[in-house]
Amino acid sequence: MAITAQLVKELREKTGAGMMDCKKALVETNGDIDAAIDYLREKGLSSASKKADRIAAEGTTYILTEGNDAVILEVNAETDFVAKNNQFQELVKSLAAQLLKAKPESLEAALEVKNEEGVSIAEQISSAVATIGEKITLRRFEVKTKTDADTFGSYLHMGGRIGVLVVLEGSTDSDAAKDIAMHIAAINPKYITREEVPAEEVERERKVLTEQALNEGKPENIVAKMVEGRLGKFFEQVCLLDQAFVKDSDKKVRDFVKSTGGNVTSFVRYEVGEGIEKRADNFAEEVMSQVKGK
């Protein structure tokens, strides 16, 4: 049977596999689409290994809450196109449910978690790589537990580009908890209170501010006082409770949290791809590599 470009396109759309992989699968199966899909799946592990050195810096964050437990996770793919693919999105939701149920203590343990069919998360990801055609990784996750007197605040920005999970202790005001999560998504604090900032980080900032003041020609007898004032600005940048509330800049987050009757005890903020060095792809080279069957 002649393997037409339309047939290759159809298989690629069904599986997300590479163009040359699709053509080879169709040749091997004499143009049978269903058999070609099975062929690509059967070759999944070897395909996944070939993609292991690719950079997966796109993807999504996702949050799942069930009762007093919640999980936030980041799953990466190579392109934003795949990150919006329904199969990828369903995989993310499935992984979230499995992680929330198993509550593994590390990423390594998470990859060994098995679903009801006895398939590990690592194997599920490898299978998805085979059909979708891109490197996919479970990058990180965190499970949070609260009491009945507390509430979770969750927020996904831009469909999951940024995800925030907050624990508001001593309050069941879910709307307020979500507002706090939205603030964290927008402003990106590193800590909740000043007391959480490591002493060495404060001292390093104090040293930088001191040198700045001296270089500005400020008298030494007032430099120390100026530095302490400028440290206040530093704490406003990195500490949640010191920041102006994004929905009402006339009040501090501290004041808003106090009005709920509770306390923010922890938060997790994930931004897709943060800290990953992204590769500048050359489209022409990518096409050539497909043609050569790499």
Side-chain angles (χ1 to χ4, degrees), residues 215-271:
N215 289 336
E216 291 169 3
K218 306 297 183 184
E220 290 189 21
N221 62 333
I222 67 168
V223 164
K225 184 177 292 186
M226 288 181 59
V227 167
E228 292 309 309
R230 291 180 180 181
L231 268 177
K233 295 293 184 182
F234 164 72
F235 286 125
E236 288 177 3
Q237 292 174 355
V238 300
C239 300
L240 173 64
L241 299 185
D242 281 277
Q243 294 173 342
F245 186 40
V246 73
K247 294 188 72 173
D248 183 356
S249 59
D250 290 333
K251 66 172 63 174
K252 298 283 190 182
V253 174
R254 176 185 294 104
D255 301 320
F256 178 73
V257 172
K258 186 177 180 180
S259 72
T260 71
N263 296 293
V264 176
T265 56
S266 67
F267 72 82
V268 182
R269 182 188 188 276
Y270 289 163
E271 184 168 349

Side-chain angles (χ1 to χ4, degrees), residues 50-65:
K50 289 179 181 178
K51 295 174 177 66
D53 61 348
R54 295 186 182 177
I55 299 173
E58 299 298 331
T60 191
T61 65
Y62 184 71
I63 299 169
L64 178 63
T65 302

Side-chain angles (χ1 to χ4, degrees), residues 1 16 31 52-53 69 77 87 104 117 151 166 176 288:
M1 177 180 179
D53 61 348
D69 296 319
Q87 186 177 354
E117 288 73 40
T151 191
V166 174
M288 287 304 297

